[in-house]
Amino acid sequence: AGPCDLFSSGGTPCIAAHSTTRALYSAYAGSLYQVKRGSDNTTTNIAPLSAGGVANAAAQDTFCASTTCLITIIYDQSGRGNHLTQAPPGGFSGPESNGYDNLASAIGAPVTLNGQKAYGVFISPGTGYRNNAASGTATGDAAEGMYAVLDGTHYNGGCCFDYGNAETNSHDTGNGHMEAIYFGDSTSWGSGSGSGPWVMADLENGLFSGLSAGNNAGDPSISYRFVTAAVKGEPNQWAIRGANAASGALSTYYSGVRPSVSGYNPMSKEGAIILGIGGDNSVSAQGTFYEGVMTSGYPSDATENAVQANIVAAKYATTALTSGPALTVGSSISLRATTACCTTRYLAHTGSTVNTQVVSSSSTTALKQQASWTVRAGLGNSACFSFESVDTAGSYIRHYNFALLVNANDGSKQFHEDATFCPQAGLNGQGNSIRSWSYPTRYFRHYSNVGYIASNGGVHTFDAATSFNDDVSWVISTGFA
Ligand code: AHR
Ligand code: AHR
Ligand code: AHR
C-alpha cells in the first residue's frame, strides 16, 4: 500500500498527493512531475518505473542530458487535478518576469529510495509552487491533515518554507486563513526548544509551535537528514507531529485546542495549496520537498503512524551531489574557460571581484596565485566543495546577489552555503560545470569576463541563454600556484 491507500483505509482520503520521488498510491502509474529543458524549452513527464514505484530518474537524466532542466509541474496523484505549478505574485512578487516565482532545478535534490535514484524539489529563496483553484481541500473550519517528507538539513529563517493550505488570492487575508506545515528556523513568530529548525504550523500571521504564540518548549529542534512533518486541524483541535523519515515512529509535538489569539478559532481556511512559500507569496525561505499529501478529514494518529512506517520502508537515503572529473580536497586547481572567445582565460580574482584573466606559465607569480584555488570540503555541505583563494587564505569564492566574490569566511551558515558548489560533468562536454549548492539552477559563469552564478535564460543579463553551456563549462587542471 502507498501512503494514500493508508489514508483511504483510515477514512481520511488524500485530496492532493504530490511527489517527485515515488507514487503515493500502490496503483498509481501516471505522471509524477513535468520537467522543461533549457536547450529547446520542451517538456516531458516523469512517471514511476512501475505502478506504485519510484520515479524514473533515468528518463529525466536522458531528457536533460547536456542541458539544464526545471521542474514545471508537480502532478496531483489523487485524481483531483490539484497540480502545483509556478507560483504567481501576491502580497510579494517572485524574481521571474511578471512577478512569478522561480521554478526548482530538476537536479538539486538527488536521493535514493530503496537504492533507486530519484530527485526531490530543492527550493531556493525565490522559488515557489502553488494551486489557487484546488478542489476538495478544506475550507473554513473543516478538518484536514497533511504530511511532508523534507530535508532536515536544508532550511533557513526566511518566510516561509510551507506545504499546505493557503489563501486563494496569494495575499494575507488574515489570521486563520492558512493551515500549512512550516519547516525552518524562523523566530519571527514562533519557535521551539533549542536553536531549530522546527516543524511548525503556518496558520497565517503566525508560525505556531504549540498552544501559545511564541515559544513552546515541547516543539523540538530537528536534526534528521530526512524528516517527516505532519500538521492536522479540525474544530478547536490541531496537532503537530514529526519523525525521522528514515527510521522510527512519529512523535507528537503538540496536540490540543486552537491558539487563543483572535482569528484562529474557528479557522477560515481558503483551500489553495502552496509549496515553498508563505500564504502571501513570501519567497525568502529555502527547503527541500520529497513527497507530501493533504487529506479530507482529521487523520487518526494510528493512520499517520502507518504512513510513517510506509515512508521508512521507502528507504530514503543520500546519494552523490557531484559528477564529472573528480576534485581532490587539499589540491590547488585552475579553471580554464571553454567558450571560443576565451580559452586562454582562467577563473581569477581582482580583490573581491571574481573574473577571468589570461594566465600562462610566463605570468607573474601574483597573477598565477590570483588564478589558483585550493579545493576544500564544502563549507555548507561536505558532499560538495568550496574554493579557497591561494593568495588570501581564509577567503573563498562565494555568491552574493548572484555575483561571484572572494570574501573572508565569516563563519555564518549563510556564508558557508553561499560558498558551496557541486561540480558536475561540463554541460558542453568539456570539464566541469560548477553548480551552486544553494541555487542549483545556477552555475559558475563568465559573462563579459566577470564571474556570476547564472541560470540558463533567467532574468539577469548574465543569465543569457546564448553561449550558456560554453560559459558554464570549465576545464580543471593543477593550479598555477
Ligand atoms: O504566517 C506567516 C506568514 O505571514 C504567512 O505565510 C504569510 O502569508 C504572512 O506574511
Ligand atoms: O547570491 C544570492 C544571495 O545574495 C546570497 O545567497 C546572499 O548572501 C545574498 O543576499
Ligand atoms: O565572458 C565572455 C563572454 O561575455 C561570454 O562568453 C559571453 O556570454 C558574454 O558576452
Side-chain angles (χ1 to χ4, degrees):
C4 287
D5 303 308
L6 298 168
F7 280 116
S8 288
S9 304
T12 52
C14 295
I15 47 76
H18 302 115
S19 178
T20 55
T21 64
R22 65 170 182 147
L24 299 174
Y25 295 82
S26 62
Y28 189 78
S31 296
L32 299 174
Y33 62 106
Q34 182 192 71
V35 295
K36 181 175 75 169
R37 65 184 175 197
S39 53
D40 60 4
N41 286 317
T42 61
T43 60
T44 197
N45 289 331
I46 305 299
L49 289 162
S50 59
V54 175
N56 186 354
Q60 175 185 310
D61 291 342
T62 300
F63 181 76
C64 302
S66 302
T67 187
T68 52
C69 269
L70 300 171
I71 297 172
T72 36
I73 303 175
I74 305 165
Y75 291 107
D76 171 23
Q77 303 175 30
S78 79
R80 290 182 171 268
N82 290 331
H83 313 312
L84 296 173
T85 59
Q86 187 170 21
F92 294 89
S93 291
E96 291 288 355
S97 44
N98 302 314
Y100 274 71
D101 294 356
N102 291 140
L103 294 165
S105 164
I107 59 168
V111 287
T112 59
L113 282 73
N114 272 307
Q116 293 176 302
K117 190 167 185 187
Y119 293 101
V121 185
F122 190 102
I123 301 282
S124 307
T127 305
Y129 293 82
R130 193 169 193 123
N131 184 326
N132 278 343
S135 84
T137 43
T139 57
D141 207 28
E144 67 177 348
M146 63 196 76
Y147 86 86
V149 176
L150 309 170
D151 179 343
T153 67
H154 184 210
Y155 61 88
N156 69 7
C159 178
C160 290
F161 181 72
D162 287 352
Y163 173 73
N165 194 322
E167 292 93 343
T168 53
N169 67 356
S170 301
H171 285 264
D172 179 349
T173 51
N175 295 2
H177 285 245
M178 296 178 62
E179 187 167 68
I181 295 163
Y182 165 84
F183 183 71
D185 68 350
S186 167
T187 54
S188 298
W189 293 278
S191 60
S193 64
S195 56
W198 304 282
V199 180
M200 297 192 273
D202 190 341
L203 305 180
E204 188 53 279
N205 299 313
L207 302 177
F208 285 87
S209 53
L211 176 63
S212 314
N215 183 269
N216 293 279
D219 196 31
S221 287
I222 299 289
S223 57
Y224 310 123
R225 171 61 177 77
F226 295 101
V227 52
T228 306
V231 165
K232 53 186 169 180
E234 64 181 348
N236 201 22
Q237 165 67 34
W238 68 288
I240 309 174
R241 306 183 76 204
N244 182 343
S247 72
L250 282 163
S251 298
T252 299
Y253 301 155
Y254 176 74
S255 179
V257 298
R258 293 286 184 182
S260 54
V261 185
S262 167
Y264 299 106
N265 184 28
M267 295 286 283
S268 306
K269 297 175 229 185
E270 296 192 19
I273 305 174
I274 54 172
L275 172 60
I277 48 179
D280 57 4
N281 198 47
S282 294
V283 281
S284 301
Q286 65 184 27
T288 295
F289 174 91
Y290 301 104
E291 62 174 75
V293 312
M294 298 171 66
T295 69
S296 169
Y298 192 84
S300 68
D301 284 1
T303 297
E304 290 175 335
N305 295 347
V307 169
Q308 163 65 9
N310 176 280
I311 294 164
V312 170
K315 287 201 165 67
Y316 275 92
T318 57
T319 189
L321 282 163
T322 60
S323 66
L327 276 65
T328 303
V329 169
S331 67
S332 170
I333 61 167
S334 62
L335 299 97
R336 183 177 62 76
T338 64
T339 315
C341 58
C342 301
T343 57
T344 59
R345 288 183 166 271
Y346 291 80
L347 193 74
H349 75 105
T350 303
S352 61
T353 301
V354 172
N355 50 29
T356 61
Q357 299 190 51
V358 177
V359 188
S360 71
S361 56
S362 49
S363 297
T364 62
T365 300
L367 180 55
K368 286 177 175 174
Q369 291 185 345
Q370 287 162 18
S372 299
W373 308 95
T374 306
V375 178
R376 301 295 184 198
L379 294 169
N381 185 321
S382 60
C384 295
F385 298 98
S386 294
F387 302 99
E388 185 177 7
S389 167
V390 161
D391 63 20
T392 315
S395 287
Y396 293 79
I397 300 177
R398 62 87 60 95
H399 59 84
Y400 191 87
N401 290 337
F402 310 121
L404 289 175
L405 301 178
V406 171
N407 282 169
N409 179 4
D410 64 11
S412 65
K413 179 170 172 283
Q414 182 75 58
F415 185 92
H416 290 171
E417 295 180 352
D418 289 349
T420 298
F421 302 94
C422 308
Q424 63 185 70
L427 287 183
N428 73 353
Q430 296 182 61
N432 293 92
S433 290
I434 317 290
R435 194 173 74 245
S436 163
W437 175 80
S438 53
Y439 288 83
T441 59
R442 297 184 169 277
Y443 295 81
F444 274 18
R445 181 190 197 163
H446 61 95
Y447 193 87
S448 298
N449 304 327
V450 176
Y452 299 93
I453 54 166
S455 65
N456 192 0
V459 295
H460 306 94
T461 309
F462 55 79
D463 294 328
T466 303
S467 191
F468 184 83
N469 278 11
D470 290 336
D471 291 351
V472 302
S473 298
W474 306 83
V475 171
I476 295 180
S477 305
T478 303
F480 291 101

